[in-house]
């Protein structure tokens, strides 16, 4: 279990690197002279004080000031409460859904180890055939697809973002406990599907909750950091599987996630519901309280913010599911947002990401580098994700440039793979293949990996946001299943060269799609993004 917990600590350290100086000092326990605000590294509210004051004076940009406490006198001493000392109120509301992402990643790494152990060791399930091992590997994915489909019908109408996070934590915990206690193969598969319901729920709620509660100027970094949590969760799963693999202790591989799941459930008790979801349901007083809790603003400012959130929504209009879905595809603005979000998700998967990694693992295993390569690729993915995280809110970069750069790099890498295999798989230069795969992975983590989920959480209008993200999540998991199932048969029928050329063509089409349709959303509130899409 130390492997999984060590990776959780690593993730918290990674988050610290992306936070303001005084927040790092507080989390890491570094002493400072007097209060944090008296150090040379000012808190984020202090650094942005003048800017926020100017924004307040400009009503057209008032939405940007709602998340920060504006200091009317920058020379006036600050109070010594934790928030004023540089501990952002959005930190815990980020860490809880990020834990849900990490547990999704952990299942990817742990299930790989689980298949290896059950395939090599004699267990109470007997000798498992390839079909049974495939069910073990994909069981949670089927649960994720089911949850994503169900949330199209019941998400938003019956459950808030926080309630979904609670539900995902409970489903994770029950799934893990039942998997670890499985006494039959059927029970193992059933509990894998149950765990997958937690994955689908968490992957629906996490980007929504982070996007709706994070400050506009940090929203891109925080939603993108969720991708880093997933990647580090994968590394933790690989590492834990390696620690227990030789002993055949597959139950321990699964049970190692329980402390993180318990922490996730506990954390939900200390975070507010999304103010945007509350305001959509007409619960304005609760929404104002949530804004005050997350932003530390006055009651008057909280009311202004809630009014801004609902300015483009008719709260008296109650739509049935059929009416909501009809509006999702018939309204021009909603249809454009759906095209952007779901289009990115489909291009993300159809450009071969799961298949290329699957093929890479086979190459690494032939070279005797299975575990070492898996962990190395995982850490490299995390590093490239952090580079994207630190550029996504940079005025010189943003969402569009990172997407275009990353997807273009993927296309070049896939063309290189196709060229390398043109002489036949037996004579291929494996070092060059590995270099091309690493380049592909790095470009994916710069663009598609973190930015797709970020755009998906930003572009939809409030009233249809939950249903639309459910459609996007369903498209993600569904296309993942299809690409994974079709890869081996396509490889055998087309050959490696044509297969990678197919993926390269899709990546080139993705570049054109991004250039034509995907807007730049850096620095805008969710309401301003809706106005931008409506006006384009």
């Amino acid at each position: 279990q130390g492997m999984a917990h060590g990776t959780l600590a690593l993730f918290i350290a990674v988050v610290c690197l992306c936070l303001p100086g005084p927040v790092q000092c507080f989390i890491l326990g570094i002493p400072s002279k007097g209060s944090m605000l008296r150090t040379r590294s000012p808190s984020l509210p202090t650094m942005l004080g003048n800017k926020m004051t100017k924004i307040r004076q400009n009503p057209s940009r008032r939405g940007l000031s709602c998340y920060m406490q504006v200091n009317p006198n920058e020379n006036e001493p600050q109070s010594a409460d934790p928030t004023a000392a540089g501990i952002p109120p959005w930190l815990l509301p980020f860490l809880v859904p990020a834990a849900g992402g990490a547990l999704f990643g952990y299942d990817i790494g742990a299930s790989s180890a689980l298949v290896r152990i059950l395939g090599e060791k004699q267990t109470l399930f007997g000798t498992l055939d390839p079909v049974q091992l495939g069910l073990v590997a994909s069981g949670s994915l089927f649960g994720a697809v089911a949850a994503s489909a169900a949330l199209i019908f019941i998400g938003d109408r019956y459950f808030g973002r926080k309630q979904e996070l609670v539900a995902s934590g409970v489903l994770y915990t029950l799934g893990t406990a039942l998997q670890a206690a499985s006494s039959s193969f059927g029970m193992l598969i059933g509990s894998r599907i149950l765990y997958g319901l937690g994955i689908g729920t968490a992957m629906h709620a996490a980007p929504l909750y982070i996007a709706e509660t994070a400050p506009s100027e940090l929203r891109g970094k925080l939603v993108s950091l969720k991708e880093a949590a997933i990647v580090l969760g994968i590394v933790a799963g690989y590492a834990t599987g390696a620690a227990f693999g030789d002993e055949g202790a597959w139950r321990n591989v699964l049970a190692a996630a329980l402390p993180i799941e318990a922490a996730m459930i506990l954390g939900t008790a200390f975070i507010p519901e999304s103010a945007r979801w509350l305001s959509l349901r007409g619960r304005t007083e609760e929404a104002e309280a949530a804004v005050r809790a997350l932003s530390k603003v006055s009651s008057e400012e909280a009311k202004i913010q809630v009014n801004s959130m609902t300015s483009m929504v008719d709260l008296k209009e109650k739509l049935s599911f059929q009416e909501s879905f009809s509006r999702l595809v018939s309204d021009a603005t909603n249809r454009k947002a759906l095209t952007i979000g779901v289009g990115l998700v489909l291009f993300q998967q159809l450009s071969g990401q799961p298949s290329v990694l699957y093929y890479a693992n086979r190459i690494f295993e032939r070279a005797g580098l299975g575990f070492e390569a898996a962990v190395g690729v995982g850490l490299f993915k995390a590093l490239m994700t952090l580079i994207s995280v630190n550029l996504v809110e940079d005025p010189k970069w943003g969402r569009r440039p990172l997407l275009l750069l990353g997807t273009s790099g993927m296309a070049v890498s896939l063309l290189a793979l196709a060229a390398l295999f043109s002489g036949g798989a037996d004579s291929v230069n494996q070092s060059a293949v590995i270099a091309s795969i690493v380049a592909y992975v790095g470009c994916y983590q710069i663009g598609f990996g973190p930015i797709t989920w970020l755009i998906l959480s930003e572009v939809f209008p409030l009233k249809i946001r939950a249903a639309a993200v459910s459609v996007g999540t369903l498209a993600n998991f569904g296309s993942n299943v299809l690409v994974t199932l079709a890869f081996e048969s396509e490889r055998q029928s087309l050959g490696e060269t044509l297969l990678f050329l197919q993926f390269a063509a899709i990546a080139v089409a993705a570049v054109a799609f991004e250039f034509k349709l995907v807007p730049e959303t850096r620095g805008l509130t969710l309401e301003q993004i809706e106005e931008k899409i409506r006006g384009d």
Side-chain angles (χ1 to χ4, degrees), residues 448-462:
F448 266 146
I451 306 299
T452 296
W453 288 100
L454 172 57
I455 296 293
L456 192 67
S457 70
E458 292 180 324
V459 295
F460 298 112
L462 178 61

Side-chain angles (χ1 to χ4, degrees), residues 475-487:
N476 175 77
F477 288 119
S479 57
N480 189 317
V481 171
L482 291 176
V483 171
T484 302
L485 292 177
F487 173 77

Side-chain angles (χ1 to χ4, degrees), residues 87-98 209 263 266-272 294:
I87 306 308
W90 45 259
L91 183 58
L92 186 59
F94 160 72
L95 289 175
V96 171
Y209 186 82
L266 180 63
T268 59
F270 299 96
I271 59 175
L294 285 169

Side-chain angles (χ1 to χ4, degrees), residues 117-192:
I117 295 171
L118 294 179
E120 295 175 354
K121 305 286 183 179
Q122 187 67 29
T123 67
L124 60 86
F125 305 138
T127 301
L128 301 184
D129 60 40
V131 173
Q132 290 175 312
L133 290 174
L135 286 174
V136 172
S138 60
S140 61
L141 196 56
F142 288 121
V145 171
S148 301
L151 286 168
I152 297 175
F153 298 91
I154 63 176
D156 219 7
R157 293 172 61 84
Y158 303 105
F159 299 104
R161 320 300 191 224
K162 176 180 176 179
Q163 292 170 313
E164 285 189 32
L165 289 172
V166 173
S168 63
V170 171
L171 288 168
Y172 274 144
T173 304
L174 289 176
T176 297
L178 290 174
Q179 285 180 86
S182 293
S183 56
S184 67
F185 181 75
M187 182 178 177
L188 176 64
I189 299 303
S191 52
R192 293 280 298 144

Side-chain angles (χ1 to χ4, degrees), residues 275-276 278-279 283-292 306 309:
R276 285 181 169 86
L278 291 168
S279 63
R283 294 157 61 176
T284 53
E285 291 185 2
E286 294 175 69
E288 291 168 11
V291 169
R292 291 196 299 271
V306 172
M309 293 173 188

Side-chain angles (χ1 to χ4, degrees), residues 13 72 468 508:
V508 170

Side-chain angles (χ1 to χ4, degrees), residues 66-384:
C66 66
Y67 296 105
M68 307 304 299
Q69 176 66 51
V70 179
N71 182 11
N73 183 354
E74 60 180 325
N75 296 319
E76 182 179 333
Q78 302 285 322
S79 62
D81 65 83
T83 301
I87 306 308
W90 45 259
L91 183 58
L92 186 59
F94 160 72
L95 289 175
V96 171
L103 289 166
F104 170 38
Y106 185 82
D107 182 71
I108 295 173
S111 63
S112 175
L114 189 62
V115 168
R116 177 173 55 84
I117 295 171
L118 294 179
E120 295 175 354
K121 305 286 183 179
Q122 187 67 29
T123 67
L124 60 86
F125 305 138
T127 301
L128 301 184
D129 60 40
V131 173
Q132 290 175 312
L133 290 174
L135 286 174
V136 172
S138 60
S140 61
L141 196 56
F142 288 121
V145 171
S148 301
L151 286 168
I152 297 175
F153 298 91
I154 63 176
D156 219 7
R157 293 172 61 84
Y158 303 105
F159 299 104
R161 320 300 191 224
K162 176 180 176 179
Q163 292 170 313
E164 285 189 32
L165 289 172
V166 173
S168 63
V170 171
L171 288 168
Y172 274 144
T173 304
L174 289 176
T176 297
L178 290 174
Q179 285 180 86
S182 293
S183 56
S184 67
F185 181 75
M187 182 178 177
L188 176 64
I189 299 303
S191 52
R192 293 280 298 144
I193 294 173
L194 182 64
Y195 190 96
L197 294 175
I199 292 175
T201 306
M203 290 301 96
H204 177 261
L208 281 174
Y209 186 82
I210 296 172
E212 292 183 352
T213 58
S216 296
E217 65 276 3
L218 291 178
R219 185 179 63 243
K221 283 191 173 186
L222 295 180
V223 176
S224 300
L225 271 172
K226 178 188 69 68
E227 175 70 16
I230 295 173
V231 172
L232 289 173
I234 294 173
V235 175
Y238 285 144
T240 308
F244 293 114
D246 292 338
E247 305 170 9
W250 60 272
R251 298 180 192 274
N252 292 346
V253 177
L254 299 168
L258 285 170
I260 302 175
E261 292 160 357
M264 179 183 176
I265 295 174
L266 180 63
T268 59
F270 299 96
I271 59 175
E273 180 57 86
S274 163
R276 285 181 169 86
W277 183 83
L278 291 168
S279 63
L280 178 63
R281 312 314 296 176
R283 294 157 61 176
T284 53
E285 291 185 2
E286 294 175 69
E288 291 168 11
V291 169
R292 291 196 299 271
L294 285 169
S295 311
K296 304 302 178 184
V297 297
S298 65
S299 297
E300 179 183 354
E301 190 69 23
K303 288 182 180 179
I304 293 172
Q305 269 305 303
V306 172
N307 289 337
S308 174
M309 293 173 188
T310 57
S311 61
M312 302 180 70
V313 178
D314 183 1
L315 296 180
K316 296 180 181 180
E317 184 181 34
K318 303 298 181 183
L319 302 177
S320 66
F321 167 75
Q322 292 80 3
E323 291 170 330
S324 297
F325 190 80
S326 175
R327 180 165 297 185
L328 181 63
V329 296
S330 62
D331 180 84
T333 300
N334 295 346
R335 191 166 59 249
K336 181 176 182 180
L338 191 66
T339 301
I340 294 170
V342 176
L344 282 176
V345 166
L346 290 176
F347 276 121
Q348 179 194 46
Q349 296 298 324
L350 296 178
S351 55
Q353 186 264 345
S355 301
V356 172
L357 286 182
Y358 169 76
Y359 196 79
N361 288 336
R362 293 177 60 182
I363 294 174
F364 293 145
E365 287 174 2
R366 288 175 193 164
L369 298 173
F371 166 70
E372 295 84 352
V375 172
V377 170
L379 292 175
F380 176 68
K381 289 177 69 174
L383 174 63
M384 299 307 291

